[in-house]
């Protein structure tokens, strides 16, 4: 109950955070309910099956966003693709955040040569151009699954979360209440779990949102060049289909425009969450935003 109260208070303190979370909540609900929505769109017909309908139908009452070159309903495709894109963001976001948090707390709390080694390794990964490496991995890895793509993307996205959280751990480890916990002979894990972690949840949230966003757009980039996982439909694959078939010249603009609008909304929502958390927990930024 105390955590819920703190979350609600944080949301009330930032309009940007509230708007971003509201947009994300709507998109997540659509993704979770996507099987029911797709079934409702098709009725007795599977709208994602090849040749389910006539090809290249224009938007109308029967098909709100028209159909593609295989006769599939575009609205059903977009709803299913949104669920896949959010799933890849969640997979990569969770993995990269967990790894980043572990590295950040070990480096920031221990300090010394441990901090030097981990910080150097993190810095090296931060300057490596990740997208070319993802292209190479995807090109040589055959029949990769959605989870495997999420793992590959998370390998290169955890350093940002680690760097962000480490700087806060360095600041908090010298606070009086942490020194008091050390005096009472509390173990390092106990101090981290009870004294440091609760104060860093907003920064962990920022790291998760950034990693998830990077993963979603990383998958879109792979799909646009034809190197995404097979057997699934995500927003990047729909854009790739629209480009490769010349959908715009055929008047099938929704198959190109709608995924881009959804990605733009997702990008804006996650960035509003990041900015909102910074406004609430960074006094300097809060002062600038309030002017």
């Amino acid at each position: 109950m105390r955590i819920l109260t703190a979350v609600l208070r944080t949301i009330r303190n930032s309009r940007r955070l509230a708007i971003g979370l509201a947009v994300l909540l709507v998109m997540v609900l659509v993704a979770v309910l996507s099987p029911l929505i797709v079934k409702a769109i098709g009725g007795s017909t599977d709208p994602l099956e090849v040749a389910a309908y006539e090809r290249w139908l224009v938007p109308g009452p029967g098909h709100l966003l028209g159909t593609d070159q295989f006769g599939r309903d575009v609205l059903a495709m977009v709803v299913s693709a949104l669920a896949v894109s959010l799933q890849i963001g969640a997979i990569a976001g969770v993995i990269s955040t967990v790894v980043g948090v572990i590295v950040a707390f070990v480096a920031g709390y221990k300090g010394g040569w441990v901090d030097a080694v981990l910080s150097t390794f993190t810095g090296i990964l931060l300057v490596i151009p990740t997208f070319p490496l993802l292209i190479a991995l995807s090109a040589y890895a055959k029949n990769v699954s959605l989870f495997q793509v999420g793992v590959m993307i998370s390998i290169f996205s955890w350093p940002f979360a680690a760097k962000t959280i480490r700087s806060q751990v360095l600041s908090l480890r010298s606070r009086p209440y942490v020194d008091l916990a050390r005096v009472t002979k509390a173990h390092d894990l106990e101090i981290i779990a009870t004294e440091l972690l609760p104060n860093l949840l907003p920064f962990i949230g920022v790291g998760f949102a950034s990693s998830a966003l990077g993963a979603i757009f990383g998958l879109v980039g792979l799909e646009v060049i034809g190197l995404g996982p097979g057997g699934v439909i995500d927003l990047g694959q729909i854009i790739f289909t629209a480009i490769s078939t010349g959908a715009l010249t055929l008047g099938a603009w929704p198959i190109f425009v709608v995924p881009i609008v959804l990605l733009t909304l997702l990008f804006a929502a996650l960035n509003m969450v990041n900015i909102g958390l910074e406004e609430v927990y960074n006094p300097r930024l809060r002062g600038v935003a309030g002017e």
Side-chain angles (χ1 to χ4, degrees), residues 89-245:
I91 293 172
V94 168
I95 294 175
S96 61
T97 301
V98 169
V99 175
V101 166
I102 293 174
V103 172
F105 274 101
V106 171
Y109 186 77
K110 286 296 185 181
W113 68 268
V114 175
D115 183 25
V117 171
L118 291 178
S119 297
T120 301
F121 182 64
T122 302
I124 291 173
L125 288 180
L126 279 173
V127 300
I128 292 176
T130 58
F131 192 65
L133 290 177
L134 284 176
I135 293 175
L137 287 173
S138 300
Y140 284 101
K142 303 298 182 182
N143 300 321
V144 292
S145 65
L146 194 66
F147 179 78
Q148 290 171 331
V149 172
V151 172
M152 286 193 298
I153 294 176
S154 65
I155 292 173
F156 303 106
S157 56
W158 66 262
F160 174 79
K163 185 176 179 61
T164 302
I165 298 169
R166 170 188 166 275
S167 62
Q168 300 301 320
V169 174
L170 288 173
S171 173
L172 291 178
R173 72 175 185 177
S174 58
R175 298 292 175 88
Y177 57 85
V178 176
D179 293 333
L180 179 61
R182 290 196 187 99
V183 171
T184 59
K185 305 300 182 180
H187 296 294
D188 289 345
L189 288 178
E190 184 180 353
I191 294 174
I192 290 173
T194 60
E195 304 294 343
L196 298 181
L197 188 60
N199 293 302
L200 292 175
L201 288 178
F203 298 96
I204 294 174
V206 170
F208 172 80
S210 300
S211 299
L213 186 63
I216 291 171
F217 278 87
L219 180 61
V220 169
L222 292 176
E223 288 284 11
V224 167
I225 61 177
L227 292 177
V232 295
I233 301 174
D234 65 275
L235 296 174
Q237 188 184 71
I238 296 178
I239 295 173
F240 172 73
T241 299
I243 295 173
S244 61
T245 58

Side-chain angles (χ1 to χ4, degrees), residues 64-81:
L64 296 180
L65 299 180
T67 60
D68 69 349
Q69 79 275 25
F70 297 118
R72 299 174 296 183
D73 186 272
V74 174
L75 178 58
M77 291 173 60
V78 168
V79 170
S80 297

